[in-house]
Amino acid sequence: MQTITKKTDATLKIDVLAELKYEPIVKVTDIGVLVKNGTVTLNGYVSSYVEKLEAVQAVKRIAGVKAIADDIEI
């Protein structure tokens, strides 16, 4: 029997920030992270389109994320 535990928004935010910090291209200090009901909103300014894509890809790897709203500007 497997039990599935739902991550809290606070836990998801910690996981997202840790994953963004792990990405060498992404400057985590330039990106804001908001989490509500499993939906992650990324906002802020980055220096390149590649950095923006890497940030979104990093969030997609995290279990428990239901949706991603990408409000990052270049």
Side-chain angles (χ1 to χ4, degrees):
M1 175 184 250
Q2 292 181 351
T3 57
I4 300 173
T5 57
K6 182 180 173 188
K7 290 184 179 181
T8 64
D9 289 343
T11 303
L12 273 177
K13 183 173 182 175
I14 291 168
D15 291 348
V16 168
L17 290 172
E19 192 70 22
L20 289 174
K21 190 180 284 188
Y22 178 75
E23 281 298 320
I25 293 176
V26 177
K27 294 178 188 161
V28 72
T29 56
D30 295 342
I31 298 174
V33 177
L34 302 169
V35 181
K36 185 170 183 179
N37 298 326
T39 299
V40 176
T41 302
L42 300 174
N43 56 32
Y45 295 92
V46 295
S47 59
S48 70
Y49 187 70
V50 173
E51 186 177 357
K52 178 178 176 168
L53 288 178
E54 288 296 321
V56 173
Q57 289 299 323
V59 175
K60 287 181 180 179
R61 290 192 294 262
I62 299 170
V65 173
K66 294 180 182 177
I68 302 169
D70 177 11
D71 293 336
I72 299 173
E73 295 183 29
I74 302 170

Short mmCIF file of all heavy atoms in Angstrom, two decimals:
data_model
loop_
_atom_site.label_atom_id
_atom_site.label_comp_id
_atom_site.label_asym_id
_atom_site.label_seq_id
_atom_site.Cartn_x
_atom_site.Cartn_y
_atom_site.Cartn_z
N MET A 1 0.84 -1.17 0.00
CA MET A 1 0.00 0.00 0.00
C MET A 1 0.89 1.24 0.00
O MET A 1 1.78 1.37 0.82
CB MET A 1 -0.92 -0.02 1.21
CG MET A 1 -1.73 1.23 1.37
SD MET A 1 -2.71 1.19 2.86
CE MET A 1 -4.30 1.02 2.15
N GLN A 2 0.63 2.15 -0.92
CA GLN A 2 1.38 3.39 -1.00
C GLN A 2 0.54 4.53 -0.48
O GLN A 2 -0.66 4.59 -0.73
CB GLN A 2 1.78 3.70 -2.43
CG GLN A 2 2.78 2.74 -3.01
CD GLN A 2 3.14 3.13 -4.42
OE1 GLN A 2 2.54 4.00 -5.01
NE2 GLN A 2 4.13 2.46 -4.98
N THR A 3 1.18 5.40 0.24
CA THR A 3 0.49 6.61 0.68
C THR A 3 1.06 7.79 -0.09
O THR A 3 2.28 7.92 -0.25
CB THR A 3 0.68 6.85 2.19
OG1 THR A 3 2.06 6.93 2.47
CG2 THR A 3 0.04 5.74 3.00
N ILE A 4 0.20 8.61 -0.59
CA ILE A 4 0.61 9.79 -1.33
C ILE A 4 0.38 11.00 -0.43
O ILE A 4 -0.73 11.24 0.02
CB ILE A 4 -0.20 9.93 -2.64
CG1 ILE A 4 0.04 8.71 -3.51
CG2 ILE A 4 0.19 11.20 -3.35
CD1 ILE A 4 -0.81 8.68 -4.75
N THR A 5 1.47 11.71 -0.18
CA THR A 5 1.35 12.90 0.65
C THR A 5 1.45 14.13 -0.24
O THR A 5 2.28 14.20 -1.14
CB THR A 5 2.46 12.95 1.71
OG1 THR A 5 3.73 12.90 1.07
CG2 THR A 5 2.34 11.80 2.68
N LYS A 6 0.59 15.06 0.00
CA LYS A 6 0.57 16.31 -0.76
C LYS A 6 1.54 17.29 -0.11
O LYS A 6 1.52 17.46 1.11
CB LYS A 6 -0.85 16.88 -0.76
CG LYS A 6 -0.98 18.15 -1.55
CD LYS A 6 -2.41 18.65 -1.51
CE LYS A 6 -2.48 20.01 -2.16
NZ LYS A 6 -3.78 20.63 -2.00
N LYS A 7 2.37 17.90 -0.93
CA LYS A 7 3.30 18.89 -0.41
C LYS A 7 2.55 20.19 -0.12
O LYS A 7 1.66 20.58 -0.86
CB LYS A 7 4.41 19.18 -1.41
CG LYS A 7 5.38 18.06 -1.60
CD LYS A 7 6.50 18.48 -2.54
CE LYS A 7 7.50 17.40 -2.74
NZ LYS A 7 8.59 17.82 -3.63
N THR A 8 2.97 20.85 0.92
CA THR A 8 2.39 22.16 1.22
C THR A 8 3.02 23.19 0.27
O THR A 8 4.06 22.95 -0.34
CB THR A 8 2.67 22.57 2.67
OG1 THR A 8 4.09 22.73 2.84
CG2 THR A 8 2.14 21.55 3.66
N ASP A 9 2.38 24.33 0.17
CA ASP A 9 2.91 25.40 -0.67
C ASP A 9 4.29 25.85 -0.18
O ASP A 9 5.17 26.14 -0.99
CB ASP A 9 1.94 26.58 -0.71
CG ASP A 9 0.69 26.27 -1.52
OD1 ASP A 9 0.70 25.30 -2.30
OD2 ASP A 9 -0.29 27.02 -1.39
N ALA A 10 4.47 25.89 1.11
CA ALA A 10 5.77 26.31 1.67
C ALA A 10 6.87 25.31 1.29
O ALA A 10 7.98 25.70 0.93
CB ALA A 10 5.67 26.44 3.19
N THR A 11 6.55 24.03 1.36
CA THR A 11 7.52 23.00 0.98
C THR A 11 7.84 23.08 -0.50
O THR A 11 8.99 22.95 -0.90
CB THR A 11 6.97 21.60 1.33
OG1 THR A 11 6.66 21.55 2.72
CG2 THR A 11 7.98 20.52 1.00
N LEU A 12 6.82 23.30 -1.32
CA LEU A 12 7.04 23.44 -2.75
C LEU A 12 7.94 24.63 -3.05
O LEU A 12 8.83 24.55 -3.90
CB LEU A 12 5.72 23.60 -3.50
CG LEU A 12 5.02 22.32 -3.91
CD1 LEU A 12 3.69 22.64 -4.57
CD2 LEU A 12 5.86 21.49 -4.83
N LYS A 13 7.72 25.73 -2.37
CA LYS A 13 8.55 26.92 -2.59
C LYS A 13 10.01 26.64 -2.25
O LYS A 13 10.92 27.02 -2.98
CB LYS A 13 8.03 28.11 -1.78
CG LYS A 13 8.81 29.38 -2.04
CD LYS A 13 8.19 30.57 -1.37
CE LYS A 13 9.00 31.82 -1.70
NZ LYS A 13 8.38 33.02 -1.18
N ILE A 14 10.24 25.95 -1.15
CA ILE A 14 11.61 25.58 -0.76
C ILE A 14 12.23 24.68 -1.82
O ILE A 14 13.39 24.87 -2.20
CB ILE A 14 11.60 24.89 0.63
CG1 ILE A 14 11.24 25.90 1.70
CG2 ILE A 14 12.94 24.23 0.92
CD1 ILE A 14 10.93 25.29 3.05
N ASP A 15 11.47 23.72 -2.33
CA ASP A 15 11.96 22.82 -3.37
C ASP A 15 12.28 23.58 -4.65
O ASP A 15 13.29 23.31 -5.31
CB ASP A 15 10.95 21.71 -3.65
CG ASP A 15 10.81 20.72 -2.51
OD1 ASP A 15 11.64 20.75 -1.58
OD2 ASP A 15 9.86 19.91 -2.56
N VAL A 16 11.42 24.51 -5.03
CA VAL A 16 11.65 25.31 -6.25
C VAL A 16 12.91 26.15 -6.11
O VAL A 16 13.76 26.17 -7.01
CB VAL A 16 10.42 26.20 -6.56
CG1 VAL A 16 10.75 27.22 -7.63
CG2 VAL A 16 9.24 25.36 -6.99
N LEU A 17 13.06 26.82 -5.00
CA LEU A 17 14.25 27.65 -4.79
C LEU A 17 15.52 26.81 -4.79
O LEU A 17 16.54 27.22 -5.35
CB LEU A 17 14.12 28.45 -3.49
CG LEU A 17 13.07 29.56 -3.51
CD1 LEU A 17 12.89 30.14 -2.12
CD2 LEU A 17 13.46 30.64 -4.50
N ALA A 18 15.46 25.64 -4.19
CA ALA A 18 16.63 24.75 -4.18
C ALA A 18 16.98 24.28 -5.59
O ALA A 18 18.15 24.23 -5.97
CB ALA A 18 16.38 23.55 -3.27
N GLU A 19 15.98 23.96 -6.38
CA GLU A 19 16.20 23.50 -7.75
C GLU A 19 16.74 24.63 -8.62
O GLU A 19 17.63 24.42 -9.45
CB GLU A 19 14.91 22.94 -8.34
CG GLU A 19 15.09 22.18 -9.63
CD GLU A 19 15.81 20.86 -9.48
OE1 GLU A 19 15.83 20.28 -8.38
OE2 GLU A 19 16.37 20.38 -10.48
N LEU A 20 16.23 25.83 -8.44
CA LEU A 20 16.74 26.97 -9.20
C LEU A 20 18.18 27.28 -8.82
O LEU A 20 18.99 27.64 -9.68
CB LEU A 20 15.86 28.20 -8.96
CG LEU A 20 14.47 28.17 -9.58
CD1 LEU A 20 13.66 29.38 -9.14
CD2 LEU A 20 14.53 28.08 -11.09
N LYS A 21 18.50 27.14 -7.56
CA LYS A 21 19.87 27.40 -7.10
C LYS A 21 20.84 26.37 -7.71
O LYS A 21 21.99 26.67 -7.97
CB LYS A 21 19.93 27.33 -5.58
CG LYS A 21 21.26 27.81 -5.00
CD LYS A 21 21.26 27.73 -3.49
CE LYS A 21 20.44 28.84 -2.91
NZ LYS A 21 20.55 28.95 -1.46
N TYR A 22 20.35 25.18 -7.96
CA TYR A 22 21.16 24.09 -8.52
C TYR A 22 21.52 24.34 -9.99
O TYR A 22 22.54 23.87 -10.47
CB TYR A 22 20.40 22.77 -8.36
CG TYR A 22 21.10 21.58 -8.93
CD1 TYR A 22 22.18 21.01 -8.28
CD2 TYR A 22 20.68 21.01 -10.12
CE1 TYR A 22 22.82 19.90 -8.79
CE2 TYR A 22 21.31 19.90 -10.65
CZ TYR A 22 22.38 19.35 -9.98
OH TYR A 22 23.01 18.26 -10.50
N GLU A 23 20.68 25.09 -10.70
CA GLU A 23 20.92 25.37 -12.12
C GLU A 23 22.00 26.44 -12.26
O GLU A 23 21.83 27.56 -11.80
CB GLU A 23 19.64 25.89 -12.80
CG GLU A 23 18.66 24.83 -13.16
CD GLU A 23 19.22 23.84 -14.16
OE1 GLU A 23 19.93 24.24 -15.10
OE2 GLU A 23 18.93 22.65 -13.99
N PRO A 24 23.12 26.13 -12.94
CA PRO A 24 24.21 27.10 -13.05
C PRO A 24 23.88 28.33 -13.89
O PRO A 24 24.41 29.41 -13.64
CB PRO A 24 25.35 26.30 -13.69
CG PRO A 24 24.72 25.09 -14.28
CD PRO A 24 23.44 24.86 -13.56
N ILE A 25 22.98 28.20 -14.85
CA ILE A 25 22.64 29.32 -15.73
C ILE A 25 21.71 30.31 -15.02
O ILE A 25 21.76 31.51 -15.28
CB ILE A 25 21.98 28.80 -17.03
CG1 ILE A 25 23.00 28.03 -17.85
CG2 ILE A 25 21.39 29.93 -17.84
CD1 ILE A 25 22.44 27.39 -19.09
N VAL A 26 20.91 29.82 -14.11
CA VAL A 26 19.87 30.64 -13.48
C VAL A 26 20.43 31.39 -12.27
O VAL A 26 21.06 30.80 -11.40
CB VAL A 26 18.68 29.76 -13.04
CG1 VAL A 26 17.64 30.57 -12.32
CG2 VAL A 26 18.08 29.04 -14.23
N LYS A 27 20.20 32.70 -12.24
CA LYS A 27 20.54 33.51 -11.07
C LYS A 27 19.28 33.59 -10.21
O LYS A 27 18.37 34.36 -10.50
CB LYS A 27 20.98 34.90 -11.50
CG LYS A 27 22.27 34.91 -12.27
CD LYS A 27 22.62 36.30 -12.71
CE LYS A 27 23.81 36.26 -13.64
NZ LYS A 27 23.94 37.47 -14.43
N VAL A 28 19.25 32.78 -9.18
CA VAL A 28 18.05 32.65 -8.36
C VAL A 28 17.68 33.98 -7.69
O VAL A 28 16.51 34.22 -7.39
CB VAL A 28 18.22 31.52 -7.33
CG1 VAL A 28 19.19 31.89 -6.25
CG2 VAL A 28 16.88 31.12 -6.74
N THR A 29 18.63 34.88 -7.53
CA THR A 29 18.34 36.16 -6.89
C THR A 29 17.53 37.09 -7.81
O THR A 29 16.94 38.06 -7.34
CB THR A 29 19.63 36.88 -6.48
OG1 THR A 29 20.47 37.01 -7.63
CG2 THR A 29 20.37 36.10 -5.41
N ASP A 30 17.49 36.78 -9.11
CA ASP A 30 16.74 37.59 -10.07
C ASP A 30 15.31 37.11 -10.28
O ASP A 30 14.55 37.74 -11.00
CB ASP A 30 17.46 37.61 -11.43
CG ASP A 30 18.81 38.28 -11.36
OD1 ASP A 30 19.06 39.03 -10.39
OD2 ASP A 30 19.62 38.06 -12.27
N ILE A 31 14.96 35.98 -9.68
CA ILE A 31 13.65 35.37 -9.93
C ILE A 31 12.87 35.26 -8.62
O ILE A 31 13.38 34.77 -7.62
CB ILE A 31 13.81 33.97 -10.55
CG1 ILE A 31 14.52 34.10 -11.90
CG2 ILE A 31 12.46 33.29 -10.72
CD1 ILE A 31 14.87 32.78 -12.54
N GLY A 32 11.63 35.72 -8.66
CA GLY A 32 10.74 35.59 -7.53
C GLY A 32 9.87 34.35 -7.69
O GLY A 32 9.50 33.98 -8.80
N VAL A 33 9.56 33.71 -6.59
CA VAL A 33 8.77 32.48 -6.61
C VAL A 33 7.58 32.63 -5.68
O VAL A 33 7.73 32.95 -4.50
CB VAL A 33 9.61 31.26 -6.18
CG1 VAL A 33 8.76 30.00 -6.14
CG2 VAL A 33 10.81 31.08 -7.08
N LEU A 34 6.39 32.43 -6.23
CA LEU A 34 5.16 32.40 -5.44
C LEU A 34 4.49 31.05 -5.67
O LEU A 34 4.47 30.55 -6.79
CB LEU A 34 4.20 33.51 -5.89
CG LEU A 34 4.72 34.94 -5.81
CD1 LEU A 34 3.78 35.88 -6.53
CD2 LEU A 34 4.87 35.34 -4.37
N VAL A 35 3.93 30.47 -4.61
CA VAL A 35 3.25 29.18 -4.74
C VAL A 35 1.89 29.29 -4.06
O VAL A 35 1.78 29.73 -2.92
CB VAL A 35 4.07 28.04 -4.09
CG1 VAL A 35 3.35 26.72 -4.27
CG2 VAL A 35 5.47 27.97 -4.68
N LYS A 36 0.85 28.90 -4.80
CA LYS A 36 -0.49 28.90 -4.24
C LYS A 36 -1.23 27.69 -4.80
O LYS A 36 -1.36 27.54 -6.01
CB LYS A 36 -1.24 30.18 -4.59
CG LYS A 36 -2.60 30.26 -3.92
CD LYS A 36 -3.22 31.61 -4.09
CE LYS A 36 -4.54 31.63 -3.33
NZ LYS A 36 -5.19 32.91 -3.41
N ASN A 37 -1.69 26.82 -3.91
CA ASN A 37 -2.43 25.61 -4.27
C ASN A 37 -1.69 24.75 -5.29
O ASN A 37 -2.28 24.19 -6.20
CB ASN A 37 -3.81 25.97 -4.80
CG ASN A 37 -4.65 26.68 -3.77
OD1 ASN A 37 -4.55 26.41 -2.58
ND2 ASN A 37 -5.46 27.62 -4.22
N GLY A 38 -0.37 24.67 -5.16
CA GLY A 38 0.43 23.85 -6.05
C GLY A 38 0.82 24.50 -7.36
O GLY A 38 1.55 23.93 -8.16
N THR A 39 0.34 25.72 -7.60
CA THR A 39 0.70 26.46 -8.81
C THR A 39 1.87 27.38 -8.49
O THR A 39 1.81 28.17 -7.57
CB THR A 39 -0.49 27.29 -9.32
OG1 THR A 39 -1.57 26.41 -9.63
CG2 THR A 39 -0.12 28.08 -10.56
N VAL A 40 2.93 27.23 -9.28
CA VAL A 40 4.14 28.02 -9.07
C VAL A 40 4.15 29.18 -10.05
O VAL A 40 4.01 28.99 -11.26
CB VAL A 40 5.40 27.16 -9.26
CG1 VAL A 40 6.66 28.00 -9.13
CG2 VAL A 40 5.42 26.01 -8.27
N THR A 41 4.32 30.39 -9.54
CA THR A 41 4.46 31.58 -10.38
C THR A 41 5.89 32.07 -10.28
O THR A 41 6.39 32.31 -9.18
CB THR A 41 3.49 32.69 -9.93
OG1 THR A 41 2.15 32.20 -9.99
CG2 THR A 41 3.62 33.92 -10.82
N LEU A 42 6.54 32.18 -11.43
CA LEU A 42 7.89 32.71 -11.51
C LEU A 42 7.81 34.12 -12.07
O LEU A 42 7.16 34.35 -13.09
CB LEU A 42 8.76 31.85 -12.43
CG LEU A 42 8.92 30.38 -12.04
CD1 LEU A 42 9.69 29.64 -13.12
CD2 LEU A 42 9.63 30.26 -10.71
N ASN A 43 8.48 35.07 -11.42
CA ASN A 43 8.50 36.44 -11.93
C ASN A 43 9.88 37.04 -11.71
O ASN A 43 10.71 36.47 -11.01
CB ASN A 43 7.41 37.29 -11.30
CG ASN A 43 7.49 37.31 -9.79
OD1 ASN A 43 8.56 37.23 -9.23
ND2 ASN A 43 6.36 37.40 -9.13
N GLY A 44 10.12 38.15 -12.35
CA GLY A 44 11.41 38.81 -12.24
C GLY A 44 12.00 39.07 -13.61
O GLY A 44 11.31 38.97 -14.64
N TYR A 45 13.27 39.40 -13.62
CA TYR A 45 13.97 39.74 -14.86
C TYR A 45 15.23 38.88 -14.98
O TYR A 45 15.97 38.74 -14.01
CB TYR A 45 14.36 41.22 -14.86
CG TYR A 45 13.17 42.13 -14.87
CD1 TYR A 45 12.63 42.61 -13.68
CD2 TYR A 45 12.56 42.51 -16.06
CE1 TYR A 45 11.53 43.44 -13.67
CE2 TYR A 45 11.46 43.34 -16.06
CZ TYR A 45 10.95 43.80 -14.87
OH TYR A 45 9.85 44.61 -14.87
N VAL A 46 15.46 38.33 -16.17
CA VAL A 46 16.66 37.55 -16.44
C VAL A 46 17.39 38.16 -17.63
O VAL A 46 16.82 38.96 -18.38
CB VAL A 46 16.33 36.06 -16.70
CG1 VAL A 46 15.76 35.41 -15.46
CG2 VAL A 46 15.38 35.90 -17.87
N SER A 47 18.62 37.75 -17.84
CA SER A 47 19.44 38.35 -18.88
C SER A 47 19.31 37.68 -20.24
O SER A 47 19.74 38.25 -21.24
CB SER A 47 20.90 38.36 -18.45
OG SER A 47 21.34 37.04 -18.22
N SER A 48 18.72 36.47 -20.29
CA SER A 48 18.62 35.78 -21.58
C SER A 48 17.41 34.86 -21.60
O SER A 48 16.88 34.45 -20.57
CB SER A 48 19.88 34.97 -21.86
OG SER A 48 19.96 33.86 -20.98
N TYR A 49 17.02 34.52 -22.84
CA TYR A 49 15.91 33.59 -23.02
C TYR A 49 16.27 32.20 -22.51
O TYR A 49 15.43 31.49 -21.97
CB TYR A 49 15.53 33.55 -24.51
CG TYR A 49 14.29 32.76 -24.78
CD1 TYR A 49 13.04 33.22 -24.39
CD2 TYR A 49 14.34 31.52 -25.43
CE1 TYR A 49 11.89 32.50 -24.63
CE2 TYR A 49 13.20 30.79 -25.68
CZ TYR A 49 11.98 31.28 -25.28
OH TYR A 49 10.84 30.56 -25.51
N VAL A 50 17.53 31.82 -22.66
CA VAL A 50 17.99 30.52 -22.18
C VAL A 50 17.83 30.42 -20.67
O VAL A 50 17.39 29.39 -20.15
CB VAL A 50 19.46 30.27 -22.59
CG1 VAL A 50 20.01 29.02 -21.95
CG2 VAL A 50 19.58 30.21 -24.10
N GLU A 51 18.15 31.49 -19.97
CA GLU A 51 18.00 31.50 -18.51
C GLU A 51 16.53 31.33 -18.13
O GLU A 51 16.19 30.59 -17.20
CB GLU A 51 18.56 32.79 -17.93
CG GLU A 51 18.56 32.82 -16.42
CD GLU A 51 19.19 34.08 -15.84
OE1 GLU A 51 19.69 34.92 -16.61
OE2 GLU A 51 19.17 34.22 -14.61
N LYS A 52 15.65 31.98 -18.86
CA LYS A 52 14.21 31.86 -18.62
C LYS A 52 13.75 30.42 -18.83
O LYS A 52 13.03 29.86 -18.00
CB LYS A 52 13.46 32.81 -19.56
CG LYS A 52 11.96 32.75 -19.43
CD LYS A 52 11.29 33.76 -20.36
CE LYS A 52 9.79 33.61 -20.28
NZ LYS A 52 9.09 34.71 -20.92
N LEU A 53 14.16 29.81 -19.93
CA LEU A 53 13.77 28.43 -20.22
C LEU A 53 14.30 27.46 -19.16
O LEU A 53 13.59 26.54 -18.75
CB LEU A 53 14.28 28.01 -21.60
CG LEU A 53 13.58 28.61 -22.80
CD1 LEU A 53 14.24 28.13 -24.08
CD2 LEU A 53 12.11 28.25 -22.81
N GLU A 54 15.54 27.64 -18.75
CA GLU A 54 16.13 26.77 -17.73
C GLU A 54 15.39 26.87 -16.40
O GLU A 54 15.22 25.88 -15.70
CB GLU A 54 17.61 27.08 -17.55
CG GLU A 54 18.47 26.63 -18.70
CD GLU A 54 18.49 25.13 -18.89
OE1 GLU A 54 18.51 24.38 -17.89
OE2 GLU A 54 18.47 24.69 -20.05
N ALA A 55 14.94 28.06 -16.06
CA ALA A 55 14.19 28.24 -14.81
C ALA A 55 12.88 27.47 -14.86
O ALA A 55 12.51 26.76 -13.92
CB ALA A 55 13.94 29.72 -14.56
N VAL A 56 12.18 27.57 -15.99
CA VAL A 56 10.90 26.85 -16.13
C VAL A 56 11.14 25.34 -16.15
O VAL A 56 10.40 24.59 -15.51
CB VAL A 56 10.16 27.32 -17.41
CG1 VAL A 56 8.94 26.48 -17.66
CG2 VAL A 56 9.79 28.79 -17.29
N GLN A 57 12.17 24.89 -16.85
CA GLN A 57 12.48 23.46 -16.89
C GLN A 57 12.82 22.92 -15.51
O GLN A 57 12.45 21.80 -15.16
CB GLN A 57 13.64 23.19 -17.86
CG GLN A 57 13.28 23.37 -19.32
CD GLN A 57 12.18 22.43 -19.77
OE1 GLN A 57 12.09 21.29 -19.36
NE2 GLN A 57 11.31 22.94 -20.63
N ALA A 58 13.51 23.72 -14.71
CA ALA A 58 13.86 23.30 -13.35
C ALA A 58 12.59 23.07 -12.51
O ALA A 58 12.50 22.09 -11.77
CB ALA A 58 14.75 24.35 -12.69
N VAL A 59 11.62 23.96 -12.65
CA VAL A 59 10.37 23.83 -11.89
C VAL A 59 9.58 22.60 -12.35
O VAL A 59 8.97 21.91 -11.54
CB VAL A 59 9.53 25.11 -11.99
CG1 VAL A 59 8.19 24.93 -11.30
CG2 VAL A 59 10.27 26.29 -11.40
N LYS A 60 9.63 22.29 -13.63
CA LYS A 60 8.92 21.13 -14.16
C LYS A 60 9.42 19.81 -13.57
O LYS A 60 8.70 18.82 -13.54
CB LYS A 60 9.04 21.07 -15.68
CG LYS A 60 8.20 22.11 -16.39
CD LYS A 60 8.33 21.98 -17.90
CE LYS A 60 7.49 23.02 -18.62
NZ LYS A 60 7.63 22.90 -20.08
N ARG A 61 10.65 19.78 -13.09
CA ARG A 61 11.22 18.56 -12.52
C ARG A 61 10.76 18.28 -11.10
O ARG A 61 11.03 17.21 -10.56
CB ARG A 61 12.76 18.66 -12.53
CG ARG A 61 13.38 18.61 -13.89
CD ARG A 61 14.87 18.42 -13.79
NE ARG A 61 15.54 19.56 -13.19
CZ ARG A 61 16.14 20.52 -13.88
NH1 ARG A 61 16.14 20.49 -15.20
NH2 ARG A 61 16.75 21.50 -13.25
N ILE A 62 10.07 19.21 -10.48
CA ILE A 62 9.71 19.07 -9.07
C ILE A 62 8.36 18.38 -8.93
O ILE A 62 7.36 18.79 -9.52
CB ILE A 62 9.68 20.46 -8.40
CG1 ILE A 62 11.06 21.08 -8.48
CG2 ILE A 62 9.22 20.34 -6.96
CD1 ILE A 62 11.09 22.51 -8.08
N ALA A 63 8.36 17.33 -8.14
CA ALA A 63 7.12 16.59 -7.88
C ALA A 63 6.19 17.45 -7.04
O ALA A 63 6.62 18.13 -6.12
CB ALA A 63 7.43 15.29 -7.14
N GLY A 64 4.91 17.42 -7.38
CA GLY A 64 3.91 18.16 -6.63
C GLY A 64 3.48 19.47 -7.26
O GLY A 64 2.51 20.07 -6.83
N VAL A 65 4.22 19.93 -8.28
CA VAL A 65 3.85 21.16 -8.96
C VAL A 65 2.71 20.86 -9.92
O VAL A 65 2.82 20.00 -10.79
CB VAL A 65 5.06 21.76 -9.73
CG1 VAL A 65 4.62 22.95 -10.57
CG2 VAL A 65 6.16 22.16 -8.76
N LYS A 66 1.60 21.55 -9.75
CA LYS A 66 0.42 21.32 -10.59
C LYS A 66 0.46 22.14 -11.87
O LYS A 66 0.02 21.69 -12.92
CB LYS A 66 -0.85 21.65 -9.82
CG LYS A 66 -1.11 20.74 -8.65
CD LYS A 66 -2.38 21.13 -7.94
CE LYS A 66 -2.63 20.25 -6.74
NZ LYS A 66 -3.82 20.68 -6.01
N ALA A 67 0.95 23.38 -11.77
CA ALA A 67 1.00 24.27 -12.94
C ALA A 67 2.10 25.30 -12.72
O ALA A 67 2.52 25.54 -11.60
CB ALA A 67 -0.34 24.96 -13.13
N ILE A 68 2.54 25.89 -13.84
CA ILE A 68 3.57 26.92 -13.78
C ILE A 68 3.08 28.15 -14.53
O ILE A 68 2.65 28.05 -15.68
CB ILE A 68 4.88 26.44 -14.42
CG1 ILE A 68 5.38 25.18 -13.72
CG2 ILE A 68 5.95 27.53 -14.36
CD1 ILE A 68 6.51 24.49 -14.44
N ALA A 69 3.14 29.30 -13.87
CA ALA A 69 2.85 30.56 -14.51
C ALA A 69 4.18 31.28 -14.68
O ALA A 69 4.85 31.62 -13.71
CB ALA A 69 1.90 31.38 -13.65
N ASP A 70 4.57 31.46 -15.92
CA ASP A 70 5.87 32.06 -16.24
C ASP A 70 5.71 33.55 -16.54
O ASP A 70 5.30 33.92 -17.63
CB ASP A 70 6.49 31.33 -17.42
CG ASP A 70 7.80 31.92 -17.87
OD1 ASP A 70 8.36 32.76 -17.16
OD2 ASP A 70 8.27 31.53 -18.96
N ASP A 71 6.00 34.38 -15.56
CA ASP A 71 5.92 35.83 -15.72
C ASP A 71 7.31 36.47 -15.76
O ASP A 71 7.47 37.65 -15.47
CB ASP A 71 5.10 36.46 -14.59
CG ASP A 71 3.63 36.08 -14.66
OD1 ASP A 71 3.17 35.75 -15.75
OD2 ASP A 71 2.97 36.12 -13.61
N ILE A 72 8.32 35.67 -16.09
CA ILE A 72 9.69 36.17 -16.15
C ILE A 72 9.87 37.00 -17.40
O ILE A 72 9.44 36.63 -18.49
CB ILE A 72 10.69 35.01 -16.16
CG1 ILE A 72 10.58 34.17 -14.88
CG2 ILE A 72 12.12 35.53 -16.32
CD1 ILE A 72 11.42 32.91 -14.89
N GLU A 73 10.52 38.15 -17.24
CA GLU A 73 10.78 39.04 -18.37
C GLU A 73 12.27 39.05 -18.67
O GLU A 73 13.10 38.91 -17.78
CB GLU A 73 10.29 40.46 -18.07
CG GLU A 73 8.79 40.53 -17.90
CD GLU A 73 8.30 41.94 -17.66
OE1 GLU A 73 8.94 42.87 -18.14
OE2 GLU A 73 7.28 42.08 -16.98
N ILE A 74 12.59 39.26 -19.95
CA ILE A 74 13.98 39.30 -20.38
C ILE A 74 14.42 40.75 -20.51
O ILE A 74 13.74 41.57 -21.02
CB ILE A 74 14.17 38.56 -21.71
CG1 ILE A 74 13.70 37.12 -21.55
CG2 ILE A 74 15.62 38.60 -22.16
CD1 ILE A 74 13.60 36.34 -22.82
#
